[in-house]
């Protein structure tokens, strides 16, 4: 299945957008449910490369499926896949930053700030501090979403879970052991 996901990625250059929609995308949704992490990771990469091939007007159906199948899932596992997909889309520049900020970022930030599962908040915090804020286009004052991103990051920096707090810090910031103890004591 891993081999299939990587081979499908290589096939994209030889297929039309219509063929990708008809044959590859349904396979990709199935492969994202695989129990093997390597298969899911290869499929996440495949989907971000598929988005590069889509016209801006064609991505709505893909986003709708992402939201319905992964973001709105009761399974924390699927919500985590949504976050990883968002980060891969961002890193691969699969869509414009404006489209990312309008279509995916609000959902990402909502998961980051409201999800009850620490693993979700850890992935989200790491994505904000290590991926989004490391991209010049996201950390620039010109980015209209910077304030919302920073607001969520600050919330994550004071999360009750120590690992979430740690991942919410940028490379320039460190959570000291004293800060961690102080916050942990407050939880009791």
């Amino acid at each position: 299945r891993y081999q299939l996901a990587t081979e499908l990625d290589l096939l994209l250059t030889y297929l039309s957008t219509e063929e990708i929609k008809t044959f590859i995308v349904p396979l990709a949704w199935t492969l994202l449910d695989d129990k093997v992490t390597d298969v899911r990771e290869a499929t996440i990469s495949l989907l971000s490369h598929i988005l590069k091939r889509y016209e801006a007007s064609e991505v709505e159906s893909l986003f709708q499926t992402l939201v319905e199948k992964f973001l709105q899932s009761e399974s924390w596992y699927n919500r985590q896949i949504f976050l990883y997909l968002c980060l891969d889309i961002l890193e691969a520049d699969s869509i414009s930053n404006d489209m990312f900020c309008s279509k995916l970022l609000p959902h990402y930030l909502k998961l980051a700030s409201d999800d009850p599962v620490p693993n979700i908040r850890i992935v989200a915090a790491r994505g904000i501090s290590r991926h989004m804020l490391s991209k010049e286009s996201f950390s620039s004052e010109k980015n209209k979403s910077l304030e919302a991103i920073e607001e969520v990051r600050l919330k994550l920096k004071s999360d009750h879970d120590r690992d979430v707090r740690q991942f919410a810090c940028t490379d320039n910031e460190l959570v000291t052991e004293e800060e961690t103890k102080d916050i942990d004591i407050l939880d009791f």
Side-chain angles (χ1 to χ4, degrees), residues 98-111:
D98 289 341
M99 183 175 283
F100 183 86
C101 287
S102 67
K103 301 293 182 184
L104 296 176
L105 186 61
H107 300 300
Y108 187 99
L109 295 177
K110 181 154 178 48
L111 266 183

Side-chain angles (χ1 to χ4, degrees), residues 40-75:
R40 291 190 310 272
E41 287 175 357
T43 306
I44 286 169
S45 178
L46 169 66
L47 280 167
S48 68
H49 292 147
I50 286 171
L51 272 173
K52 281 185 177 183
R53 295 284 308 274
Y54 277 29
E55 296 295 324
S57 60
E58 298 174 314
V59 298
E60 282 302 318
S61 65
L62 205 60
F63 287 157
Q64 185 177 353
T65 305
L66 275 176
V67 168
E68 290 171 3
K69 186 173 172 117
F70 297 97
L71 176 70
Q72 296 173 348
S73 174
E74 289 186 21
S75 164

Side-chain angles (χ1 to χ4, degrees), residues 93-146:
D93 291 321
S94 300
I95 57 176
S96 70
N97 284 338
D98 289 341
M99 183 175 283
F100 183 86
C101 287
S102 67
K103 301 293 182 184
L104 296 176
L105 186 61
H107 300 300
Y108 187 99
L109 295 177
K110 181 154 178 48
L111 266 183
S113 61
D114 295 343
D115 202 277
V117 178
N119 287 6
I120 298 294
R121 296 191 312 275
I122 287 170
V123 171
R126 189 181 68 210
I128 290 170
S129 62
R130 306 240 178 3
H131 297 281
M132 288 181 196
L133 294 178
S134 69
K135 284 187 76 124
E136 193 173 318
S137 58
F138 272 81
S139 58
S140 165
E141 295 294 324
K142 296 176 187 174
N143 182 357
K144 297 173 187 168
S145 302
L146 181 61

Side-chain angles (χ1 to χ4, degrees), residues 125-180:
R126 189 181 68 210
I128 290 170
S129 62
R130 306 240 178 3
H131 297 281
M132 288 181 196
L133 294 178
S134 69
K135 284 187 76 124
E136 193 173 318
S137 58
F138 272 81
S139 58
S140 165
E141 295 294 324
K142 296 176 187 174
N143 182 357
K144 297 173 187 168
S145 302
L146 181 61
E147 188 176 325
I149 293 169
E150 279 295 342
E151 185 179 309
V152 170
R153 190 176 76 83
L154 288 175
K155 182 178 179 182
L156 292 169
K157 280 179 65 174
S158 62
D159 194 274
H160 65 276
D161 186 279
R162 183 183 67 190
D163 293 330
V164 174
R165 291 192 304 272
Q166 191 68 44
F167 279 109
C169 293
T170 60
D171 290 338
N172 300 341
E173 304 169 325
L174 292 174
V175 175
T176 65
E177 197 62 36
E178 271 184 38
E179 290 173 314
T180 301

